[in-house]
C-alpha cells in the first residue's frame, strides 16, 4: 500500500517465453479444521501440472498463513492463455457450502506467451 487511500493489486497479465517455467507464490489461510490444502491449476481450462505433478498439496499450518511456490511450464505455442489457480482446504470431503472452491480461493490472470 502506498498510503491509506491506494491499494496495489498483482498484475492481471503475465508475460512468459514458450516452455518457460513460471513461478507463482501462494498464501493460504482460514482453514482452521483442515489438515491439507489442495491446489489445482488450469491453463485455458485444461488441468496443468504444478511442480511436475497433476496437483499440489501442502500441510495446513493452523493459525498461520501457509506460503510457498507453485511452478508450471508456459505453453509451447505463442498466444494468450487464461490461467486459473484453485485452492481447497478440504480436499477429501464431499463438496458442500463449507468446503467448495470459492472466489476468495482462486486467482485468474492472462499469460501472454511470446
Amino acid at each position: 500500500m502506498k498510503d491509506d487511500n491506494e491499494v496495489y493489486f498483482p498484475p492481471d497479465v503475465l508475460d512468459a517465453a514458450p516452455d518457460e517455467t513460471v513461478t507463482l507464490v501462494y498464501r493460504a489461510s482460514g482453514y482452521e479444521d483442515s489438515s491439507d490444502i489442495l491446489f489445482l491449476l488450469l491453463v485455458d481450462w485444461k488441468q496443468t501440472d504444478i511442480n511436475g505433478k497433476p496437483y499440489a498439496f501442502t500441510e495446513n499450518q493452523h493459525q498461520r498463513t501457509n506460503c510457498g511456490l507453485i511452478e508450471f511450464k508456459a505453453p509451447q505455442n505463442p498466444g494468450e492463455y487464461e490461467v486459473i489457480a484453485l485452492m481447497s482446504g478440504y480436499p477429501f470431503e464431499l463438496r458442500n457450502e463449507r468446503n467448495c472452491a470459492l472466489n476468495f480461493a482462486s486467482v485468474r490472470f492472462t499469460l501472454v506467451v511470446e
Side-chain angles (χ1 to χ4, degrees), residues 15-86:
D15 296 317
D19 214 29
E20 177 183 347
T21 298
V22 178
T23 303
L24 304 174
V25 176
Y26 70 81
R27 293 186 326 190
S29 62
Y31 300 110
E32 289 80 17
D33 56 345
S34 175
S35 59
D36 295 303
I37 299 173
L38 169 73
F39 299 95
L40 297 173
L41 188 73
L42 306 176
V43 176
D44 272 359
W45 298 102
K46 295 180 185 101
Q47 188 171 344
T48 301
D49 283 357
I50 301 172
N51 302 336
K53 298 180 181 176
Y55 49 83
F57 275 108
T58 187
E59 185 177 327
N60 188 18
Q61 300 177 27
H62 299 282
Q63 299 180 351
R64 296 180 63 195
T65 299
N66 301 276
C67 299
L69 300 177
I70 290 177
E71 292 186 338
F72 69 98
K73 290 279 189 185
Q76 293 179 345
N77 297 323
E80 292 186 358
Y81 298 86
E82 293 304 306
V83 177
I84 301 169
L86 300 167

